[in-house]
Amino acid sequence: MSSGLLTIGLPVMAVDLGLDDGLLLWPASVYSLASGCCLLLAGSLADLLGNRQINLIGCFGLSISILACGLARTGIEFIVFRALQGVVFSLCLPTAFSILKECLPPGKQTNIAVGCFGLGQPLGFSVGLVLGGLFEATAPGWRVGYYLTAGLAFILSLVNLVNLPSTLQRAPWSWQRFRAEIDWVGLLLSSGCLGLFSYVCSAITSDTAAIKKPQIIALLALAGALAPMFLFWMNRQEKHGRPALIPNSIWQNKAFTSICLVVLLSWAVLNGMETFLSLFFQEVQDLPPIQAAIRFFPNIIIGIILNFGTGVFVDRLRADHLVIVTSLLSAGSPLLMALIQAHWSWWSCAFWAVLISPLSADVIFTVANLLISDLFTPTTQGLASAVFNTVAQFGTSIGLTVFAILSASVTKQSKYENKASPEALMQGYRAVFWMSFGMMICGCGVSAWGLRKIGKVG
């Protein structure tokens, strides 16, 4: 819901909060970035303390952070609160999947449960879109949507407090286990690398010429140096039988590595398409928020059908065929938007682009989680799920950053004197759509190469 509110309300929020154009996409990308940085730590804490406890902390923290977003007074405050929301969300995602796996037997029941788990994303997103469009037409504005979402999150947290089952029995908690069973060095190296890289992306997003500044070059080089150090540390930890944040051996499974690459590309394109479709409707076609929200309905309906349908039928179809076909269809969405003209009617291209945009990501979510169940033992499923979700979140964050840089650069170099005009903005958006098309075609190639032997899952 909060993501839907942001997607439809971003142009109005930017004006109200004084958000600089160079930071326009950061409320969306910093959420995924913060979540991705903390998912692995959340998984480690859940293994130590239990899934129920960590999930409840995340649920209550989520309601507080969403409320804070509604109370933000400046653009920077809003970005900070969105980052906080990403941190607490990371406590909810892997633990929810683990609780499902612990409580349900393998087979059709779990397949449908995982599909319904994925169903929450398009369903909540749709509610956020519609409410965001409605509330922006009222006097209180976009903030009401965040107050309502925070209230619902708090109520659901209380429901979870009463109803979530106790998870598997674990050894008693102690400070010694807290120090010894979590790979703190690995967390520091990975967070440092990704944090520095994200700062560089932020600086480049607001000013592409900043890439030439000595301090930016130094930080980028440091981030690059931390990456091989992380791999070396993972190898050392695994070799000596010590806790490793992401053991290098996990990437030896070709199917898992391939599905992670595909989800990286798919999530980047999905979230980029949703954001830039909203900007296209409002900034290029000059539609009010509620009209833009209505145009996302095909995306919502197909997302709901796909998530539930995949859970029901996934065990009857080859997983690689599912992923490849839906990825090819999803590639048509940015292609249509790359060819569209601003004066064309919604039914000409935009309707079909909205309709097929979520096909790949929605199917991959269910397939990937069931694939993890099939490929990994119960002791390593939580780690694999955390890695998968980390990749998905960073796909969103890095994708939005790259798209923002590309869009701003192309718009700045366009022939139009007024760089804020619909014509100039469309030049940048079109470049993003072409890049998204290329990324989806790459995803199809990776799927065909890495998933061809997995057969059926679930």
Side-chain angles (χ1 to χ4, degrees), residues 220-249:
L220 190 59
L222 181 57
L226 289 175
M229 290 173 62
F230 175 76
L231 295 176
F232 171 79
W233 179 258
M234 291 300 99
N235 183 66
R236 180 178 181 276
Q237 291 292 94
E238 196 171 11
K239 184 178 179 181
H240 290 87
R242 298 169 182 166
L245 192 64
I246 307 178
N248 292 337
S249 59

Side-chain angles (χ1 to χ4, degrees), residues 29-46:
S29 62
V30 76
Y31 168 80
S32 301
L33 184 66
S35 176
C37 279
C38 298
L39 273 166
L40 294 170
L41 175 59
S44 299
L45 291 173

Side-chain angles (χ1 to χ4, degrees), residues 288-331:
I290 185 60
Q291 295 253 2
I294 292 172
R295 281 162 171 73
F296 275 97
F297 272 1
N299 179 300
I300 296 154
I301 294 169
I302 198 69
I304 293 171
I305 294 171
L306 267 177
N307 277 278
F308 185 74
T310 305
V312 173
F313 297 109
V314 68
D315 58 333
R316 305 180 190 180
L317 303 168
R318 283 177 57 95
D320 56 332
H321 292 171
L322 269 175
V323 173
I324 293 170
V325 170
T326 53
S327 295
L328 281 172
L329 290 172
S330 289

Side-chain angles (χ1 to χ4, degrees), residues 7-8 125-126 129 273-279 281-282 289-302 346 354-355 357:
T7 298
I8 201 66
F125 183 78
S126 67
L129 276 176
M273 286 297 296
E274 287 173 346
T275 301
F276 280 89
L277 276 168
S278 177
L279 292 174
F281 291 140
Q282 297 183 68
I290 185 60
Q291 295 253 2
I294 292 172
R295 281 162 171 73
F296 275 97
F297 272 1
N299 179 300
I300 296 154
I301 294 169
I302 198 69
W346 182 56
V354 170
L355 182 69
S357 174

Side-chain angles (χ1 to χ4, degrees), residues 69 123 153 155 170 207 283 310 415 429 434:
C69 288
L123 186 59
I155 293 171
R170 287 169 169 79
D207 180 15
E283 300 294 325
T310 305
K415 63 182 180 180
Y429 299 167
W434 278 117

